[in-house]
Amino acid sequence: MPNTFFRFKKFIVHQEHCAMKVGTDGVLLGAWARGGGRILDIGTGTGLVALMMAQRFPHAQVDAIDIDADACSQAVDNVEASPFAENVKVECLSVQRMAGDERRWTAYDAVVSNPPFFENALKAPALARNRARHNDTLPYDELFAAVRRLISSEGQFSVIIPFDYRGRLEQEAALWGFHLVRRCAIRTTPAKQPKRYLLAFCLQAGELETTEGVLEVQPGVRSEWYRQLTEDFYL
């Protein structure tokens, strides 16, 4: 059974009421994404990425949203127990609804999301886990349509995605006028092919920054790249 909490250097993430537990993807995204004065975390779950962004950008206001009431309640508790309670606001809300309300158009400097990615795939029995992993409730086109309304003209939209969904996501981004400006291929070990990608999109075209990261040099031994990326978070 997964632990009911995950302890980081400056905060603790409880996760017993969340379908998706703390994992490598969220940690990678929270440590890699660019920030700014106003940050939006779409599908916050436990609140992990929102808390990481608040720690990295201490003067930022972070809005964290999720459609799962249990996840939002847990995220609120995690935020309130952290040193960043004044900087993070959690709301049970879909990004489609947020983008449909002109009063909420904030022009975020950064938007981050560990989005549901599976399309037309076999689903798990748990409804909450399906919502977190399958994109029925947040198709790629609706995601980019919403982000386009909410992001500033120079803001960055950062995501993490499995390697075999990268092309589909990049294609949808281009259809909505986004340009890929950062891409980091993530290998589990040096000998393995990339299993996931960190991607960042902007509405303004720019030179593409491509990098590669390795998580472990051998089983249980973090690479120097991963250690440096996460040194402010992992104990």
Side-chain angles (χ1 to χ4, degrees):
M1 178 180 296
N3 289 336
T4 60
F5 67 91
F6 200 105
R7 187 183 300 273
F8 293 89
K9 285 183 177 179
K10 294 188 178 181
F11 56 86
I12 297 174
V13 175
H14 291 271
Q15 56 185 359
E16 65 270 23
H17 301 306
C18 289
M20 297 304 295
K21 311 304 181 185
V22 171
T24 302
D25 284 7
V27 173
L28 283 168
L29 180 63
W32 181 84
R34 299 276 168 83
R38 296 299 305 270
I39 299 171
L40 173 64
D41 177 21
I42 301 171
T44 195
T46 61
L48 168 64
V49 176
L51 286 167
M52 292 180 72
M53 296 298 282
Q55 179 179 324
R56 291 177 58 213
F57 305 97
H59 300 296
Q61 175 60 47
V62 183
D63 293 334
I65 62 173
D66 204 294
I67 61 172
D68 185 88
D70 290 337
C72 286
S73 178
Q74 184 119 72
V76 167
D77 291 343
N78 288 332
V79 168
E80 290 182 348
S82 79
F84 312 111
E86 297 298 318
N87 303 87
V88 181
K89 177 185 176 182
V90 179
E91 191 171 1
C92 192
L93 177 73
S94 72
V95 72
Q96 296 98 320
R97 181 181 169 193
M98 174 182 271
D101 184 349
E102 293 186 17
R103 295 170 298 176
R104 294 179 178 271
W105 293 3
T106 305
Y108 288 99
D109 303 298
V111 179
V112 293
S113 184
N114 182 3
F117 46 79
F118 289 135
E119 294 181 301
N120 303 316
L122 184 65
K123 296 184 179 180
L127 176 60
R129 187 169 174 84
N130 281 340
R131 284 179 176 173
R133 292 173 63 85
H134 296 261
N135 71 356
D136 301 47
T137 56
L138 187 55
Y140 296 149
D141 59 341
E142 294 183 16
L143 173 62
F144 280 102
V147 172
R148 186 178 174 92
R149 285 187 173 181
L150 297 169
I151 201 167
S152 71
S153 61
E154 297 182 351
Q156 279 200 13
F157 175 35
S158 301
V159 302
I160 186 164
I161 202 81
F163 75 101
D164 48 347
Y165 286 83
R166 185 192 114 196
R168 175 73 180 86
L169 196 77
E170 291 183 6
Q171 180 184 44
E172 194 65 50
L175 291 174
W176 286 95
F178 286 88
H179 302 271
L180 182 66
V181 293
R182 300 176 70 206
R183 180 171 63 211
C184 182
I186 306 296
R187 299 176 186 266
T188 306
T189 65
K192 293 185 177 179
Q193 293 298 310
K195 292 295 184 183
R196 51 175 74 84
Y197 282 87
L198 288 157
L199 306 173
F201 303 93
C202 282
L203 291 172
Q204 303 293 330
E207 184 176 352
L208 176 60
E209 171 193 311
T210 59
T211 56
E212 185 173 282
V214 176
L215 300 183
E216 296 182 336
V217 292
Q218 61 187 45
V221 181
R222 290 177 193 157
S223 71
E224 182 63 15
W225 174 85
Y226 192 37
R227 187 196 67 77
Q228 290 186 10
L229 184 71
T230 59
E231 63 182 351
D232 290 337
F233 300 101
Y234 281 143
L235 295 173

